[in-house]
Amino acid sequence: MKLPHTLAALTLLAAPVIAQENGVSFSHKDWEMVCDNTLTCRAAGYSSEETEEGTGGSVLLTRKAGPNSAVTGEVVLADTESDDNATSGTLMLWINDQPAGALKAGEDDRWSLTTAQTQAVIKAVKGSGKVEVKEGRTPFVLSGNGATAVLLKMDDVQGRIGTPGALIKKGDKPETSVKAAVPAPVIQAVKVVPGETRTLSKANADALKPQLLATLNKDAQCDRLQPAEGDAQEGDGDITVTPLDDRHVLASTLCWRGAYNEGYGYWVIANTPDAKPVLVTDSATDHSDGVIAMGQKGRGLGDCWATASWVWDGTAFRLSHESTTGMCRYLRLGGTWDLPTWVADVKPAAK
C-alpha cells in the first residue's frame, strides 16, 4: 500500500529524526515530538501499549519558540468505545503516589495542567517518577519511556540546550540565544469561479496522461492512472477537470487505492499554449471551493490520521496545513491530538 509521507510517519514508534522542509518529527518508545515551521513544538506522551483498553491516555506538552517561553500541558483519557468511557467529575493528578491537584476541564474532553503541574510532570517523566491521572476508575498511568530523548530533541530544535529554560540539559547560556519564532507564511485565498466538473473523453484523457505522469517524482505515484494490463478497475484512468478561473483548470484522477485509504492526484493546468501540468499532491481526498484536502487513516480503526490542505491563491495551490493526530494508541476515534508540521495564516477570499 502506498502511504503519503506524513501518514507513513504514524507507524514509526521508535524512529530516527525525520527532518523536512515543513517541520521536524521524532519519536522514541512511548513519546513523540513534532515541531512545525514556526518552531512551535509539541511533545506527546502516552500510556504503555500494554495498558488495558479504555484505561489509557496521553499528555501533550506545547512550547512556542523564543526566549522564556512557557510549556503548557493537556491531558486526554481514552474514549473510544461508548459513553461508559466518557470523562465526568474531577480528574486528579498524582505524582509519585502524592496528589498534585485537580485538572481544569476544557473543550472536547481535554483537561489542562497548571504551570506547576506541567513542570511536575516533566520532572517526573525525565527521571523515574510516576505520573497518574485518576477519576475513581483505573488510573491513566503516563509512560516515561522515551520522554528524555524526545524532550531533549525538542530543546535542540528550539535552540534551548544549555540555557536555563532547557527541559533536559540546563546551563547558563543566555535565554537570548534561543531561536526566535518563525512567522507563519501568509496565504491570500482567492475565490474560484463557479463551474461544473466534467470527465474528459477517453481520447483527451489518453492525450493528457503522459503529461500528468511526467510530473511524478520518487515521492509520488499514480498507478491507477495507467494500471498494468489486467489490473484495471472501474474508473481507473478517468480524468476530471474543474475550472478555477478563466486561466486555470484543476485536473484530477484516482492515483492509488489501499485497504482503507485512497489518494487522488490534483494538477493545475494553465490555459496557455504548451502549458505543463503542475502537481499539487497524489494523496488528496477531495476538492471544494478552492481547497484541496487530504485525510488518510494510519490504520483501519481510524484512531490515527494524517491530514493536509492546500488553498488556491490565484496562481497555485499552497500548502496551508499538514499534521498527524499522533501515535496509533486507540485513545480517540478520529485521533488524539493535532500535531502540525506546517501551518499558515490563511486570509479568506474576498466575497
Side-chain angles (χ1 to χ4, degrees):
M1 172 187 172
K2 191 268 185 190
L3 295 175
H5 67 276
T6 48
L7 186 58
L10 286 170
T11 65
L12 302 178
L13 302 187
V17 176
I18 304 170
Q20 305 174 34
E21 62 179 11
N22 59 343
V24 177
S25 303
F26 176 73
S27 61
H28 186 55
K29 297 182 179 179
D30 296 320
W31 279 74
E32 64 183 331
M33 182 278 306
V34 175
C35 298
D36 64 31
N37 52 304
T38 72
L39 289 184
T40 291
C41 295
R42 297 168 176 86
Y46 301 84
S47 45
S48 168
E49 285 197 276
E50 288 71 41
T51 301
E52 180 182 352
E53 288 186 1
T55 64
S58 178
V59 168
L60 180 68
L61 305 174
T62 302
R63 194 176 203 180
K64 294 183 179 180
N68 302 307
S69 294
V71 183
T72 60
E74 297 176 88
V75 172
V76 297
L77 301 183
D79 184 13
T80 52
E81 296 294 340
S82 67
D83 290 341
D84 293 338
N85 283 333
T87 303
S88 61
T90 301
L91 288 187
M92 297 293 296
L93 178 69
W94 287 67
I95 306 289
N96 297 325
D97 297 319
Q98 297 296 316
L103 277 62
K104 182 180 179 181
E107 296 181 354
D108 300 323
D109 288 329
R110 305 193 188 283
W111 299 73
S112 298
L113 299 171
T114 65
T115 299
Q117 289 173 330
T118 300
Q119 292 302 316
V121 168
I122 293 170
K123 181 179 179 180
V125 298
K126 70 181 184 180
S128 56
K130 183 180 181 181
V131 178
E132 300 174 280
V133 176
K134 300 183 180 182
E135 190 212 7
R137 60 178 184 176
T138 303
F140 151 44
V141 180
L142 177 64
S143 171
N145 292 331
T148 298
V150 164
L151 296 179
L152 178 61
K153 185 59 191 177
M154 184 169 166
D155 281 342
D156 180 40
V157 172
Q158 294 187 326
R160 300 186 190 277
I161 293 177
T163 68
L167 300 180
I168 301 300
K169 291 186 176 181
K170 296 181 181 294
D172 57 6
K173 291 174 59 177
E175 277 289 307
T176 53
S177 66
V178 173
K179 294 179 182 178
V182 178
V186 176
I187 302 175
Q188 177 58 64
V190 172
K191 189 175 182 180
V192 298
V193 298
E196 294 185 359
T197 297
R198 61 185 179 88
T199 302
L200 295 181
S201 67
K202 185 178 184 305
N204 288 337
D206 287 344
L208 183 57
K209 285 179 186 179
Q211 298 181 56
L212 301 184
L213 292 170
T215 66
L216 304 179
N217 53 37
K218 62 182 179 64
D219 295 322
Q221 67 180 51
C222 202
D223 297 341
R224 307 318 304 179
L225 180 59
Q226 197 168 18
E229 188 174 350
D231 189 37
Q233 301 178 30
E234 184 177 355
D236 284 353
D238 288 351
I239 300 174
T240 64
V241 291
T242 304
L244 296 170
D245 53 33
D246 59 1
R247 296 173 292 116
H248 302 88
V249 296
L250 184 65
S252 178
T253 188
L254 176 66
C255 275
W256 56 268
R257 178 179 283 130
Y260 40 82
N261 288 317
E262 60 184 16
Y264 285 81
Y266 282 91
W267 292 261
V268 174
I269 306 176
N271 295 336
T272 57
D274 302 323
K276 295 181 179 180
V278 177
L279 176 67
V280 180
T281 177
D282 68 332
S283 299
T285 305
D286 59 36
H287 164 259
S288 178
D289 296 328
V291 178
I292 295 173
M294 181 197 82
Q296 307 287 358
K297 294 180 182 180
R299 59 182 181 178
L301 292 171
D303 60 329
C304 47
W305 290 75
T307 61
S309 58
W310 296 260
V311 174
W312 177 245
D313 71 356
T315 302
F317 278 91
R318 295 181 57 193
L319 182 67
S320 57
H321 192 87
E322 184 174 34
S323 68
T324 73
T325 61
M327 290 184 180
C328 304
R329 292 299 180 94
Y330 198 54
L331 298 180
R332 296 289 178 94
L333 298 181
T336 308
W337 303 112
D338 179 29
L339 306 178
T341 51
W342 184 269
V343 296
D345 180 10
V346 179
K347 305 297 184 183
K351 295 183 179 180

